[in-house]
Structure formats: structure tokens, C-alpha cells
């Protein structure tokens, strides 16, 4: 018999919050959990708070229960919509088989991290049909010391060399791009499973994020589950983006496909703002924030338009949060209405599921603001009673052949 | 768990790093706010100015409240002020940095507004 239970704590005290979510998650669960997922916001970070949070959970949870998780920007659960607190999910179903995986140093060497993760998962033999990989990876980060809250760097040194020294910088400091696409590429080579996941994130500052595995608090890691079901779980996704610009051609970029230097043989930043009809002299950081949310770069993969949020702007590059494998790009746009429609579509059919687990983007949460309560109304109107929607750095899903990592989308799994 | 009061709800919201100051403003009444020494404003005079001019704001807000006015934002130098109306003569007001992630903070402002409405309903 399938049973899923979602917990919530709004306590600021991490041990107490951990204890509280373990109690209120387990008391509603009908049996013993196959696994326990935990998603706090970044607010517990100070004074070793995440370790205390996990201690609080394990003061109530059997230490042999696999625990995984990551920091998120916010979440919607049956109790409400929150951008501060901690939520959890435990599932009990004797027919579900699980294997857990962990890979380190995702930013230093994503391929090696994905191989380490795959090896751990494959230690446990499992039937190959009806499987899902559920993944939580380290999200991208921006140096707080260098950039503070600003996203347009006018520093001529950073502007002229960051894209060139980035691979070395990332290797040494393990700071910067999450490189989720590269991790997914290796995982897709190693597993035929459908996939769904989210990048760990903070309060949308992109300064830091954490992953959890058992009682370990990690950075720059991938944690996840391989789940085997007796039935076929459904994974769906929706992307609320429309094309805004003409087709643009990248004519110069870095080797990792994240830094766009030139578009149509001109400086990428100039072309980007020309397309938006914004003179750079009038550009403020406040305006830039709105542009970042409402006008991501987009690329087609097959017939699907995928969003790539620009994380950093400079005179010499636009830095994308996800790799851009193609040279044909668009500037796309979205609206609050589009976003709500996309939730309406992606949640269609959720009322028939035992449980709905959703992944969406922190950029969508920031765009919606308090209108995120409208998403909860959509969920309630559909009669979906047991659910958890997470908002992280990037979302990933694989429903057909190729895995996808993008921003400004929503993906769900119906159990 | 200690009983929730207007003040404890406001203090809870003020623990957010980017909520620099907060008050429950009421027309023609003294506003409820945590002790100003808990505020994180570099320029505390902004809060005092805001507090002293609230009745002027309510004069305008009241005119629009029948039209469904729900939130008011305005930029003030390095700060931004968010008004979440609770009724025509009561508003939750907070001051945030101008480069804060306003959308995320709005969600917790909304949760605070819901808690205050519940306290008003139950007469606490």
C-alpha cells in the first residue's frame, strides 16, 4: 500500500525544526519510510545549522533510513507556500525498491562525479523496467565577495578574463556553474531510466547551496535515488516561454558552452540589449533583475524551447546558467499568466495520482512572488491533496531520449 | 509553543535578513512594531518618517481600497517599501534593500499577512 507524507517546520531553530518535520512527517505515514527527503531554505545555514537540522531529524528517524535532500528557494505543500522553513517527504511502499547514490566534486569534474554516483547506484541490483532516477545536484554559485548583489560586472579584468580562466577557476575553487547538463549527459549514458530532479539553491542570490546525504552536509555534490516501481510513474513538464526575438546566431563562445561572447559577430551583450531596445546607459541593476527573470535566452532541443537564465552580464560575455550546445538562440519571454497556465497544464491528471512531486525554478517563484498562492489554488481546485512542489536552481527531466536541464520550467512526477 | 501575538508575528518576519524594518500600521492609531534597535536600517530616520506619515498614506489608500487595492510598493533611495493592505485602515509595512529578491520576500509577507488576519479574526 502506497503512503506518502509531507512535513513542515517554520521554526528558526534548526534542531527543533528537524525534530518537528520528522515527527509530523512520520506520524502521517502508514508504515516505515523507504526514504526521507528534506528541503530546507538557506536560512538555517548559520552556526552549522544544517548539521543540527539533520541531527534533529535523526533524533526521530531510524538511522538506517536513506535521507537525501538539498536547499531550495521555496516550496508549496498542503500547508501553504513558503520561502523560509523546511519541508520533507517520506514514502512508504513495500513494492518500491530503491538505491541511493552520491557523487562528489561536481564542479571540478562533472563526468567523474556522475561516474561515482552511477557506481554507487549500480551496487544494488535492480530490475530495469519502471525505474526513475531522482536527482539533486549542486546549483550554480556566484562569488558573493566579488559580485555582491550585482549581476553586471563592469570590472574590466573580470570582464575580459573570467570566461577564459573559468575552467581553471572552477577546478580549483569549485565555485561557479553547476554543470548539470554534463552530469546528466554521463548519467544518461549510464542509465536508460527516466529522470527528474532539481538543483540545490539559496534565496535566489546564488551565493551558496547545500546537498544532504544521510547526516552529511555537502557542497558541489550530486545525491539521488534510483526508484523501481511495479507501475509506470508519469513524468511531465511544461515551459512557459514564448519567443521574443529573431533567431540569433552565437558566433563566439567558450569551450564549455556557458559564456556567450559574440552574437551575429557583435558583442553579445550589445546585441542582447539592442534586441530588448534598452540603451545600456539606462540599465540599472533593478532593471537587470527584471530582464533576467522575464527575458531568458532560449534554445530549441527538438521541438522544445528551453530557458537558459543569464546569471552574469559583462561587456564581454553573457554567462548562461546552463550549457548552450547549439549556436542558434532566441531571447524568450514569459508572463505571470503564462506561468500559471503552465502549472495548470503540468498538474493535469495529478488528481488521479497517489502523490505529486514537482520541481520548478526559483526564477519562476521570484517572478510570481505572492502570486505563487495562485498555484496552490490551482492544485486545490484540481483536487490534488498530497503534493510537494520545490523551487530550485535548475530543473531536469528525461522523459524520452535525451535528458534536459533548464530554467523557468516545471516538471512533475505522478506516483 | 508561546501564544502568537501581533508583535511576535512581526518579529518573526524581521528575522528575514532582507526585512530591514517592519510595522503593522493603523490609521489614527499607534503602529505595532518590534523595537527599532532590532531594525537593520543604516538610516533609521526613514522608518521614523514613514511612521509619521502613515495617516497621509491611508488617506490615499482608502480612496483606492474599494477598487481592490491590495499592495503598494515604492522605491526610496537604497530601500524599497512594501505595503500589504490588511484592511482599508491597516497595513503590513516593511522596508527591504532595493536589490533584494522581492518575489521571495513577498511570499513571507503574504504568510505574515495571513497570520495577522487570523489574529484579528480571533481577537488576539
Amino acid at each position: 500500500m502506497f503512503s506518502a507524507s509531507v512535513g513542515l517546520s517554520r521554526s528558526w531553530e534548526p534542531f527543533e525544526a528537524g525534530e518537528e518535520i520528522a515527527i509530523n512527517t512520520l506520524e502521517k505515514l502508514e508504515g516505515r519510510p523507504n526514504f526521507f527527503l528534506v528541503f530546507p531554505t538557506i536560512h538555517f545555514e548559520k552556526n552549522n545549522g544544517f548539521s543540527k537540522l539533520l541531527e534533529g531529524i535523526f533524533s526521530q528517524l531510524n538511522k538506517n533510513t536513506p535521507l537525501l535532500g538539498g536547499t531550495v528557494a521555496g516550496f508549496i505543500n498542503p500547508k501553504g507556500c513558503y520561502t523560509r522553513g523546511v519541508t520533507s517527504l517520506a514514502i512508504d511502499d513495500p513494492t518500491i525498491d530503491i538505491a541511493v547514490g552520491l557523487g562528489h566534486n561536481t564542479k571540478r569534474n562533472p563526468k567523474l562525479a556522475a561516474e561515482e554516483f552511477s557506481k554507487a547506484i549500480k551496487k544494488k541490483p535492480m530490475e530495469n523496467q519502471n525505474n526513475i532516477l531522482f536527482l539533486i545536484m549542486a546549483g550554480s554559485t556566484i562569488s558573493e565577495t566579488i559580485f555582491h548583489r550585482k549581476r553586471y560586472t563592469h570590472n574590466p579584468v573580470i570582464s575580459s578574463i573570467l570566461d577564459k580562466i573559468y575552467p581553471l577557476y572552477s577546478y580549483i575553487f569549485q565555485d561557479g556553474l553547476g554543470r548539470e547538463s554534463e552530469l546528466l549527459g554521463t548519467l544518461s549514458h549510464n542509465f536508460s531510466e527516466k529522470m527528474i530532479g532539481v538543483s540545490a539553491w539559496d534565496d535566489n542570490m546564488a551565493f551558496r547551496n547545500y546537498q544532504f546525504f544521510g547526516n552529511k552536509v555537502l557542497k558541489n555534490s550530486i545525491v539521488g535515488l534510483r526508484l523501481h516501481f511495479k507501475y509506470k510513474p508519469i513524468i511531465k513538464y511544461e515551459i512557459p516561454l514564448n519567443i521574443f526575438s529573431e533567431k540569433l546566431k552565437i558566433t563566439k563562445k567558450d569551450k564549455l558552452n556557458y559564456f556567450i561572447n559574440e552574437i551575429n559577430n557583435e558583442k553579445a551583450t550589445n546585441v542582447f540589449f539592442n534586441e530588448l531596445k534598452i540603451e545600456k546607459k539606462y540599465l540599472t541593476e533593478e532593471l537587470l533583475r527584471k530582464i533576467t527573470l522575464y527575458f531568458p535566452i532560449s534554445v530549441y532541443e527538438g521541438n522544445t524551447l528551453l530557458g537558459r537564465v543569464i546569471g552574469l552580464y559583462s561587456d564581454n560575455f553573457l554567462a548562461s546558467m546552463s550549457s548552450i550546445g547549439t549556436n542558434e538562440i532566441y531571447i524568450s519571454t514569459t508572463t505571470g499568466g503564462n506561468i500559471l497556465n503552465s502549472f495548470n497544464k503540468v498538474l493535469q491528471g495529478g488528481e488521479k495520482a497517489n502523490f505529486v512531486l514537482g520541481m520548478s525554478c526559483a526564477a519562476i517563484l521570484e517572478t510570481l512572488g505572492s502570486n505563487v498562492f495562485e498555484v496552490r489554488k490551482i492544485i486545490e481546485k484540481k483536487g490534488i491533496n498530497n503534493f510537494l512542489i520545490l523551487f530550485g536552481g535548475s530543473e531536469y527531466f528525461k522523459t524520452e531520449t535525451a535528458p534536459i536541464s533548464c530554467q523557468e520550467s516545471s516538471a512533475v512526477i505522478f506516483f | 509553543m508561546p501564544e502568537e501575538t501581533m508583535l511576535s508575528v512581526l518579529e518573526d518576519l524581521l528575522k528575514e535578513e532582507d526585512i530591514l524594518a517592519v510595522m503593522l500600521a493603523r490609521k489614527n492609531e499607534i503602529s505595532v512594531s518590534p523595537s527599532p534597535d532590532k531594525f537593520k536600517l543604516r538610516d533609521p530616520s526613514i522608518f521614523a518618517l514613514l511612521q509619521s506619515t502613515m495617516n497621509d498614506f491611508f488617506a490615499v489608500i482608502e480612496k483606492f481600497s474599494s477598487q481592490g487595492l491590495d499592495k503598494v510598493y515604492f522605491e526610496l533611495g537604497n530601500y524599497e517599501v512594501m505595503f500589504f493592505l490588511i484592511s482599508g485602515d491597516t497595513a503590513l509595512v516593511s522596508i527591504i534593500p532595493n536589490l533584494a529578491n522581492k518575489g521571495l520576500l513577498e511570499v513571507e509577507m503574504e504568510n505574515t499577512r495571513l497570520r495577522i488576519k487570523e489574529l484579528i479574526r480571533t481577537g488576539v
Side-chain angles (χ1 to χ4, degrees), chain A residues 19 55 60 231 239 261 355 357 408:
Chain A
E19 206 175 26
E55 276 172 33
Q60 302 296 323
Y231 56 93
I239 299 165
N261 301 104
F355 187 79
L357 177 60
E408 304 221 11

Side-chain angles (χ1 to χ4, degrees), chain A residues 146-147 152-165 261 267 312-317:
Chain A
I146 299 173
F147 300 107
Y152 198 121
T153 176
H154 297 281
N155 182 319
V157 179
I158 292 172
S159 179
S160 60
I161 65 164
L162 184 63
D163 54 327
K164 296 170 191 72
I165 63 160
N261 301 104
K267 282 194 169 184
L312 195 61
Y313 302 77
S314 91
D315 290 340
N316 287 317
F317 61 76

Side-chain angles (χ1 to χ4, degrees), chain A residues 10 12 81 83 149 366 370, chain B residues 12 18 103-104 106 108 111:
Chain A
R10 298 274 286 158
W12 284 88
C81 308
T83 55
R149 291 179 180 227
E366 177 64 25
S370 57
Chain B
D12 205 35
D18 277 349
L104 267 64
E106 266 189 22
E108 288 308 322
N111 280 320

Side-chain angles (χ1 to χ4, degrees), chain A residues 10 12 43 73 81-84 149-150 203-205 285-286 289 362 365-366 368-370 372-373, chain B residues 12 15-18 71 75 84 97-108 110-111 114-115:
Chain A
R10 298 274 286 158
W12 284 88
H43 300 78
C81 308
Y82 306 96
T83 55
R84 195 265 304 164
R149 291 179 180 227
K150 297 191 173 169
D203 50 358
N204 233 357
M205 290 296 173
E285 278 288 331
E286 290 92 334
R289 281 178 176 244
L365 181 58
E366 177 64 25
L368 286 176
S370 57
V372 75
F373 285 81
Chain B
D12 205 35
K15 286 181 189 166
E16 289 272 357
E17 194 178 335
D18 277 349
K71 300 179 189 94
E75 292 177 17
F84 275 42
N98 66 354
L99 288 182
N101 283 317
K102 196 169 71 182
L104 267 64
L105 292 174
E106 266 189 22
V107 178
E108 288 308 322
E110 188 62 44
N111 280 320
L114 290 170
R115 287 164 73 185

Side-chain angles (χ1 to χ4, degrees), chain B residues 41-82:
Chain B
L41 292 164
R42 280 189 188 167
D43 180 4
S45 66
I46 283 180
F47 184 78
L49 183 63
L50 199 60
Q51 215 170 16
S52 66
T53 54
M54 274 316 300
N55 277 345
D56 301 329
F57 277 109
F58 278 120
V60 178
I61 283 167
E62 267 181 334
K63 288 182 182 163
F64 289 96
S65 63
S66 62
Q67 301 296 319
L69 183 68
D70 185 55
K71 300 179 189 94
V72 181
Y73 301 94
F74 63 84
E75 292 177 17
L76 200 64
N78 292 326
Y79 302 110
E80 195 163 339
V81 182
M82 298 200 283

